[in-house]
Amino acid sequence: MRNVMKGRSAGLVLAIAVVLPVTGGPALALPAAPAAPAAPSGSPGADDPGATLLPPLPVRLGEDNPCTGASKQTATGAAWSQTALGLSRAQRISRGGGVTVAVVDTGVATGVPGLSGRVESVDAAAEDCVGHGTFAAGLIAAAPQKGSGITGVAPQAEILALPGTDDRGVPSVERVAAGIRTAADRGAQVIYVGQVLRTGKAELTAAVAHATRRDALVVAPAAPDAVPREEQGPDGEMPEGPYWPAAAPGALAVVDFGPSGVRQENAPPAHEPDLSAPGGEMVSVGPAGSGHYIGSGASLAAAGVAGTAALVRAYHPDLTAAEVTRRLLDTAYPSDTPRLDPYAALSLIQDRTTTPARTPAPAHMPAPADPTPHRRSLTIAAVGLATVLLLAALAAVVPRGRTRNWRPPTTP
């Protein structure tokens, strides 16, 4: 996306609404999105002690906006997405131990309790001013903390943080491509990219190919979380992609759905997604403290898929990146866009051996018999039949000739 933040314009906010207008120029701040209730297991009522008002997660920050701080609210129950993904069952099989998931995004804060001791950063990625990268890393790998039921998909996975944006959250082709390549070179088995770009086809396709050659699975959103007004059409039309690196061959493109099972009505169109996963009203950690934020978007759905890929790679270490992709797709719940099913991806028994096609054994036919006796028999039979017919004709004609006094002609 282009950097549309000019002057003192405020940042995009990612909460329940996913399309917010952004304007440049003088001090013009968007009103903050209202706090939204976290969704514990089931649908909490207003008096449910697990329902907590959480601050919305920013997508980008304006030039003069302060960094995202610690949330003062904690979600005490499990998020709806955890129930939808069946994490309690899946995590009995695998928790992602021994797998490194690279997060190419706004950075990942190393001091978050749920990720403590499992984050390695490259360059300036140890700091996350926006909070999006840390939020996504929490969805991927945050361990549950006392007093909260929120957990990442693969709570024992390691996180490798790489910068894909500047400190305001604006991505660039060069940063994202470099992040993918560096992650693959450093041995990450799964590479999560939290941003979408409408340019950079050649660079990002080459970067994904580089990762694929090193057996790393790249997971990326198939739609932006929010579209600035400057990138919309004259009548508010949304761009339709393609978006990179999700559209690159070998990348797994992911789209979101919400608690109702569908995407939000005003969500930006997705471009040819491979898989869908929970991405609406997601709850995860912020860049500081132990509190939680809430956000929505395809990038957050991609985080859940990246975490599931880590579960599979930990439990089935012999599978290649391409085989993990095929497994996630083959075990997904049937839908317009197949829906991620971590438990099925882990537990389904697949026959990886390809039985070679058997060449039928050549038929052993007896040598052809000598046709001479057969022909002799046919000749004898034909002669015999002709003799019988001749005798029958004579038997019929001679008596009639005698009756009529036929005489053979005499020779003069």
Side-chain angles (χ1 to χ4, degrees):
M1 292 183 181
R2 303 191 308 271
N3 182 358
V4 297
M5 306 298 181
K6 304 293 183 181
R8 298 177 56 194
S9 58
L12 287 171
V13 174
L14 173 62
I16 302 305
V18 297
V19 180
L20 296 175
V22 181
T23 57
L28 176 61
L30 293 172
S41 309
S43 300
D47 57 349
D48 190 323
T52 305
L53 295 179
L54 300 176
L57 173 71
V59 178
R60 295 182 188 176
L61 298 176
E63 292 181 1
D64 295 334
N65 287 53
C67 293
T68 303
S71 170
K72 298 179 180 179
Q73 304 296 333
T74 300
T76 57
W80 76 270
S81 57
Q82 297 172 218
T83 303
L85 291 175
L87 292 188
S88 60
R89 291 199 306 166
Q91 289 175 354
R92 294 191 191 105
I93 300 174
S94 173
R95 296 174 67 83
V99 174
T100 297
V101 180
V103 175
V104 183
D105 204 341
T106 61
V108 177
T110 58
V112 177
L115 298 170
S116 179
R118 291 184 290 121
V119 179
E120 179 184 0
S121 59
V122 176
D123 297 331
E127 296 180 2
D128 184 9
C129 184
V130 179
H132 188 276
T134 304
F135 189 98
L139 292 174
I140 295 169
Q145 299 297 298
K146 183 178 180 180
S148 172
I150 301 299
T151 180
V153 176
Q156 291 181 355
E158 304 288 326
I159 295 294
L160 175 64
L162 303 105
T165 73
D166 62 15
D167 63 353
R168 302 286 92 185
V170 180
S172 70
V173 172
E174 295 75 20
R175 284 191 176 98
V176 173
I180 293 172
R181 289 178 177 274
T182 303
D185 291 342
R186 294 178 70 115
Q189 293 101 316
V190 181
I191 301 174
Y192 163 79
V193 179
Q195 305 292 324
V196 301
L197 293 142
R198 296 177 63 189
T199 61
K201 174 181 178 180
E203 298 92 329
L204 294 170
T205 296
V208 172
H210 178 84
T212 300
R213 288 192 296 270
R214 283 157 176 73
D215 196 32
L217 171 57
V218 177
V219 182
D225 292 341
V227 178
R229 180 171 295 167
E230 286 80 355
E231 296 187 11
Q232 300 176 21
D235 297 322
E237 302 90 349
M238 297 290 177
E240 296 185 355
Y243 297 109
W244 308 96
L252 191 56
V254 183
V255 71
D256 56 301
F257 62 84
S260 63
V262 298
R263 299 189 74 206
Q264 294 177 358
E265 184 178 353
N266 58 349
H271 179 77
E272 298 182 0
D274 300 308
L275 199 60
S276 63
E281 300 180 32
M282 304 294 284
V283 178
S284 187
V285 296
S290 58
H292 296 100
Y293 282 83
I294 189 168
S296 297
S299 71
L300 308 183
V305 173
T308 302
L311 296 180
V312 174
R313 300 214 79 167
Y315 190 63
H316 297 285
D318 56 326
L319 295 182
T320 65
E323 288 171 333
V324 172
T325 296
R326 176 51 51 196
R327 192 177 186 92
L328 294 177
L329 295 176
D330 287 348
T331 60
Y333 185 81
S335 184
D336 292 341
T337 301
R339 298 194 172 192
L340 179 68
D341 188 337
Y343 181 75
L346 290 167
S347 59
L348 180 69
I349 298 176
Q350 289 182 310
D351 184 5
R352 296 177 61 208
T353 61
T354 302
T355 304
R358 294 184 177 181
T359 302
H364 296 285
M365 302 295 293
D370 184 358
T372 303
H374 179 63
R375 291 173 182 170
R376 185 180 299 117
S377 299
L378 290 177
T379 302
I380 294 172
V383 172
L385 179 59
T387 302
V388 171
L389 293 175
L390 178 59
L391 291 175
L394 291 174
V397 172
V398 170
R400 295 177 63 184
R402 287 177 179 174
T403 304
R404 298 182 181 185
N405 295 320
W406 288 354
R407 296 288 186 271
T410 58
T411 301

